[in-house]
Structures are given as structure tokens and as C-alpha cells.
Amino acid sequence: MFFYSLVSITEKMRAIFLILVIFASGESLSEESICFGTTSNGRLENGVRLPAGSGNYIGYSTLARLAGRTYVHSAVRDIVVASYKDLETEQPDKVFKYAETGFKEGGKFKPHKTHMNGLSVDFMTPVINQKGESVHLPTNPLNRLGYDIEFDSGGFYDGLEIDYEALAAHVVALHKNSQKKGYDLWRVIFDPELQPNLLKTKYGAYLKKHVQFSKKRSWVRHDEHYHVDFSIPCK
């Protein structure tokens, strides 16, 4: 009797542990997300948080994540996670960092003009250091979580250089995983003056054929991060 009681207690502890892990990771056991309206005038139901991180990627701020600023549509979450997984093989020596996404229920997301229906994600620009190593762009309160960083016209900032190969590989992975799930990318916003460098990578032909980059400079430069809008049907 004691043995079976012990087994029962152990199974309960495992169940509790699993629930705590799921809760801590921000994963949702609820139904799929539903988006409404547009990225600039919309809302979200059953939003889910992006994971805090894994082998080759991390979020831009633990505090911002706890403040509820990393929620997305469930399909977007799946696409983003699958893309990072693919990059472990495609670009095994590269590291990545995501940034702002939106609130659990969508709606206005200051200071952004979009990010309202769970289909918008900011990604911090991949960089390499002076040793040629892939490193994370620094994100902290002193640089407004990375958003105050400004690269020069050559793609350099404080000893760091934009890793166009890694950035291009990431966008391609996002596009391919979107299509696998029956969706697409609506647009990618990245500084138009820096975009030609992406086309010089081995992924250039694919990007030119399949990905729509915004050609006009946005109200903010989008050099320290690139903004991706996913094309997923909304009500």
C-alpha cells in the first residue's frame, strides 16, 4: 500500500511540475488564437507568449516579458519557434534575439503604431563582434532595450557589425515555416539603405523572389531591429 501511495504522490508531483513549467514558459493550453482587424487597428483573443528562449535565441528583456509585451497569435508563436529550430542546423554558430510583439489581448501598444493583433514581431538585428563571433545586440534600460541603438551607414555600432547572413537566413526561415502552415509573410520592415546588403548574401535570390520588404523608410529607422508582419487571416 505504501508503495502505491508513493507512486501516486510521485505522479501528482510530476503533473504539478509539468503545469508549472508550462506556466513559466508562457505556453498556453487554450484553443488557438483569433485575430481581429489589422496590425494597426485590431485586437487578439487567446494570445500566447513567446518562449523566454532556447538554445540559439533569447528574448530582449525578462522584465518586458513579465510586463506582458511578448504576446502573439498562436500560429505566429509556432512559426517563430520552428524557424529558430531550423536555424540551429542552417546557421549553427549564430544566436538570435526577439524583441517587442504585443499584449495578450492586442490593442494599442505604445510607442508602436502597429503590433495590435498578434501578427507583428520585432527582432533585434543579429550582429558579430570584432572577433567575428555571433553575439546578441545589447538590450538594457540605458539604450531603451536596444531600440536607441543606431548603426552607421556601413552597418557598424560600438565594435559590432550587422550580420546580414544571419538576418537573411532568419527571414527565409520565417517565410518557409509560414508557408508550411499555410500562411505567408505580409512584409518585412528594415532600413531601405541597408536592405541591398541582404541581397548580397546567399539568400538574396530567395528574398528577392518571395519576401516583400518595405521600400519606404518608416517613422523610425529600423536598423537595430527588423519588423515582421505575418499574413494570417483575421476576423
Side-chain angles (χ1 to χ4, degrees), residues 135-149:
V135 296
H136 292 297
L137 195 66
T139 52
N140 56 64
L142 296 179
N143 61 22
R144 202 165 62 91
L145 301 180
Y147 282 89
D148 277 346
I149 289 175

Side-chain angles (χ1 to χ4, degrees), residues 161-174:
E161 179 182 0
I162 294 176
D163 189 344
Y164 292 104
E165 200 77 17
L167 198 164
H170 184 215
V171 174
V172 169
L174 291 171

Side-chain angles (χ1 to χ4, degrees), residues 144-211:
R144 202 165 62 91
L145 301 180
Y147 282 89
D148 277 346
I149 289 175
E150 287 287 330
F151 287 91
D152 64 22
S153 59
F156 291 91
Y157 164 79
D158 195 24
L160 301 174
E161 179 182 0
I162 294 176
D163 189 344
Y164 292 104
E165 200 77 17
L167 198 164
H170 184 215
V171 174
V172 169
L174 291 171
H175 180 264
K176 288 183 176 179
N177 279 287
S178 294
Q179 292 211 316
K180 284 180 183 178
K181 296 185 178 298
Y183 305 121
D184 206 339
L185 300 185
W186 169 32
R187 64 178 177 179
V188 176
I189 302 177
F190 184 58
D191 184 10
E193 295 180 0
L194 300 177
Q195 286 179 29
N197 295 295
L198 293 175
L199 301 181
K200 295 176 183 179
T201 69
K202 67 179 182 180
Y203 303 98
Y206 185 98
L207 293 175
K208 188 174 182 179
K209 181 178 180 180
H210 298 288
V211 179

